[in-house]
Each structure stands twice: as C-alpha cells, then as structure tokens.
Amino acid sequence: MQIAVPKEIKNHEYRVALTPAGVRELIAHGHEVTVECGSGEGSGYSDAEYQGVGARLESDVERIFAAAELILKVKEPQPDEVARLSKGQTLFTYLHLAAARELTEGLLASGVTAIAYETVTDPAGGLPLLAPMSRVAGRMAIQAGAHALEKAQGGLGVLLPGVPGVAPARVTVIGGGVVGENAARMALGLGAEVVILDTSLARLETLDHRYQGQIRTVYSTSEALDEAIRHSVLIIGAVLVPGAAAPKLIRREHLRNMTPGAVLVDVAIDQGGCFETSRPTTHADSTYLVDGIVHYCVANMPGAVSRTSTQALTSATLPYVVRLANGGFRKVLSEDRHFAGGLNVHDGHLILPEVGEAFDMPVTPLDEALRKG
C-alpha cells in the first residue's frame, strides 16, 4: 500500500504521525511510505533518519496526497489538506468532528474514508488511541495552569504548593478519566490541594483507593461545581463524551464568583470546550481574559512536547496502521467492531451518530456504509 506522512501545518503543531521506527515497521510489511521533507523536524527526527529506514522523501505536498492510498496525520486536516483528499483514499488521524461542521462537510464532499483515532474503542470500553495524548494533555494542563497563574501572565500570582506558612492552592479537576487523573496526579505532585469531580461513583472509588485519600473525590453536582468555582484558583476541564461535543459545565455567569486572576484550562476544547467562554487558542497566543479570569484553551496541547507525544502516539497507532495497510479498511473494520468505531466518514456518508446529532445531519449505519463505495 502507498502510505503518506505529510507535514503537519496546524499552528505550532510539531508532532508527526510516525517515528522512523514506525516507518521501518510498515516497510518491513511490504508497504511503501512517503514522508514529506521536514515533517519530522519538530519532533527531532531528520529527513536522513526517515530515508535511512527506507522512506521515500518528497517535497511536493500535492504529489504526496495525490499518490497516497492511506494518509497518516496527527491533527485534523486543514482546509488546504481537505481540498487534496479524494474518494478511494483513507485518512487516519484525530478528527473531533462534533466541534467542526465545516471540516465534516469538507470530508463528506471529498469522498474520503476518514477514521478518527479518538473514536476507536477497545474491548474494555477504553479509547486506546486517544489515551496517550490524554495523558500528555492532562499532565501539561497543570504546567500550563501553573504558568498562567503567574502575575506576569495575567494570573492571580499564586504558587500552587504554597510555602511554609502559606497554604497550598486548590486545584479542581472536572472529570476523572485519563486526562483528569493525569492532571490530578501532576497537581498532587506539585503539592496543591486537589479535588476531582465526576459523576461515576465507581471511578471516584477507584481514584480514592489509588491515591489513598490524598486527592478529594467528590460526586459532581451543581452545588459541588459552585463550591469549586468559589474556592479554586485553577480549574481543569477534563470532560469527555466520546465522539460528541463537550457539555458546557461552567457558564459565563459563574465567572463572577471566581477569584479574579484564577485560571481555567479547557482540555476539552477539541470537542468544543466545557466552559461557555472557551474558544480555541494556539501555542503562539495561548491565553485570554474573560471577566478577569484567565482562559487557556490550546487545541493541540501535546504538540508543544512533540518528541514525547510523537513517540507515544506511534506506539499506540502503529498496530492499527499495520492492520489497515495489510488488510484494507473494509476488511479490517468489518472484522473488528472496536476498530470500526473509528469510522466517521466514508464515501460521502456520515457514520458517527454523535456528529449527526451535533449538526442535524443524516447518518448512515456502519454496516451499510461498509457495503458502499
């Protein structure tokens, strides 16, 4: 199979879809891999390293897309990339379509088969291709939030762990999943007072047992959220509804009850954000103020630690990529319903019900879609 790895072009996105080791593995399976020149530089991988494992280097992005049967990316295709996609090609990347109507319409018009990392499931109900970046984003959320709390960044001027004689700051994490636990773990390590809100008692019990009461676990209610808003200097939005837009849990009117200079970090921004006042930001311009509250809403947080993220992503996605390349999407997805959960768009048909609900678009059942085209 002809596999393409184009350079990421989203603002300050330094990751690449495959490490040289990943490319080597695909070539060992008999596939041809074309890597756009310079695509690995942001993650510390040179063109020579890719060439050394057998990749073909190409500087003309139009040629890369035109010749590809399977296109591997990290972030959702940007408008110029969508225009290069066509029927008969398979795109495998993060998509987050429930927060991106224009992208959804573009993919449908292209006829491409689009499989999203974030909606592939495993037998235990987990999201194996989202989890690596969720771990990175959760840990980064505390770094970013701590930095944003500095006075020079517009924050309150608070050190999360405090110092002798000064109490540690309270950090509230909304959502106890992979992002939330990793954020809480980082905050705890820094010495902050940490609270996790979640609506799953089973999950809260797991976290309570795992951290031996060092992290307060609280069932999420309106009252619990109000208390967090009043007393926390840093709130991490770590809510996930797989494939769907994130619910808006903190409204603008809530901000008046927060301490001026407090920080909101919205890790759910890829899915539209879980704060009403959230809007996507970039690593180049990461924060903004609303009613005196600092908002950090970078939509590709793991891109800032690209070496770590690229290695983690390749480790997770490579087995799936090998299967796609060896068997083709139709055979592989027909045989594996967990992998098939990643199919969002195929040959002009929308497959994912959550996206159809978000945009009031018709949805084609998976089995029917796999028989088409």
Side-chain angles (χ1 to χ4, degrees):
M1 184 174 282
Q2 297 287 337
I3 302 170
V5 180
K7 185 175 183 178
E8 297 295 318
I9 60 174
K10 187 165 184 169
N11 181 283
H12 283 259
E13 181 51 71
Y14 302 109
R15 290 171 290 181
V16 62
L18 282 178
T19 63
V23 170
R24 179 179 179 178
E25 188 69 17
L26 286 168
I27 291 172
H29 280 266
H31 305 292
E32 295 185 19
V33 182
T34 301
V35 176
E36 184 176 356
C37 294
S39 56
E41 290 177 355
S43 295
Y45 297 113
S46 67
D47 288 348
E49 289 178 87
Y50 284 103
Q51 198 165 34
V53 297
R56 187 174 76 86
L57 296 177
E58 176 60 74
S59 59
D60 187 332
V61 68
E62 298 286 350
R63 287 185 182 178
I64 290 172
F65 275 83
E69 296 172 272
L70 174 60
I71 300 164
L72 304 177
K73 282 180 44 60
V74 179
K75 290 303 292 178
E76 72 281 356
Q78 304 302 293
D80 286 350
E81 295 173 311
V82 173
R84 299 184 182 109
L85 297 171
S86 61
K87 182 175 179 177
Q89 294 181 318
T90 299
L91 171 69
F92 197 24
T93 189
Y94 288 115
L95 289 174
H96 300 289
L97 293 185
R101 186 184 189 107
E102 184 177 348
L103 173 59
T104 302
E105 292 172 342
L107 293 176
L108 289 169
S110 75
V112 74
T113 297
I115 303 172
Y117 297 150
E118 74 275 5
T119 58
V120 173
T121 61
D122 63 25
L127 302 171
L129 305 188
L130 182 61
M133 296 305 95
S134 294
R135 294 185 189 104
V136 172
R139 297 179 188 199
M140 283 191 67
I142 299 302
Q143 288 186 189
H147 182 59
L149 276 168
E150 295 174 11
K151 194 65 177 177
Q153 307 305 316
L156 182 59
V158 167
L159 184 67
L160 287 181
V163 293
V166 179
R170 180 182 293 187
V171 175
T172 293
V173 181
I174 306 175
V178 177
V179 170
E181 181 180 0
N182 278 271
R185 177 180 169 186
M186 283 288 288
L188 180 66
L190 286 176
E193 177 190 348
V194 185
V195 179
I196 290 184
L197 304 181
D198 202 285
T199 55
S200 168
L201 286 175
R203 182 59 180 163
L204 293 175
E205 183 178 359
T206 296
L207 293 170
D208 184 68
H209 177 74
R210 187 171 292 163
Y211 295 96
Q212 296 295 295
Q214 293 177 291
I215 294 172
R216 285 178 53 205
T217 57
V218 178
Y219 186 80
S220 185
T221 62
S222 297
E223 183 176 352
L225 194 59
D226 286 344
E227 201 269 344
I229 288 166
R230 290 194 302 271
H231 299 291
S232 302
V233 300
L234 173 59
I235 297 178
I236 309 296
V239 178
L240 174 67
V241 180
K248 306 298 183 189
L249 298 179
I250 293 182
R251 301 285 179 178
R252 181 160 189 169
E253 59 263 28
H254 291 135
L255 301 189
R256 70 170 70 99
N257 296 323
M258 295 186 71
T259 303
V263 174
L264 296 175
V265 176
D266 197 340
V267 188
I269 193 64
D270 274 328
Q271 293 293 104
C274 60
F275 309 137
E276 184 182 34
T277 45
S278 293
R279 58 175 172 79
T281 61
T282 68
H283 289 292
D285 187 14
S286 60
T287 62
Y288 60 92
L289 287 172
V290 176
D291 299 339
I293 305 304
V294 182
H295 291 58
Y296 178 99
C297 306
V298 174
N300 60 330
M301 290 174 64
V305 288
S306 51
R307 180 85 173 185
T308 297
S309 296
T310 290
Q311 292 173 352
L313 183 62
T314 296
S315 295
T317 60
L318 185 58
Y320 293 84
V321 175
V322 170
R323 291 173 63 195
L324 274 180
N326 287 350
F329 83 89
R330 197 181 307 276
K331 179 178 185 295
V332 172
L333 300 190
S334 295
E335 294 173 349
D336 185 342
R337 290 296 157 153
H338 295 290
F339 198 170
L343 186 61
N344 283 208
V345 170
H346 170 59
D347 193 24
H349 297 271
L350 181 62
I351 314 302
L352 202 64
E354 292 84 356
V355 180
E357 183 178 346
F359 302 133
D360 194 23
M361 291 181 175
V363 172
T364 301
L366 175 64
D367 289 334
E368 182 182 337
L370 290 174
R371 291 194 298 266
K372 292 179 180 290

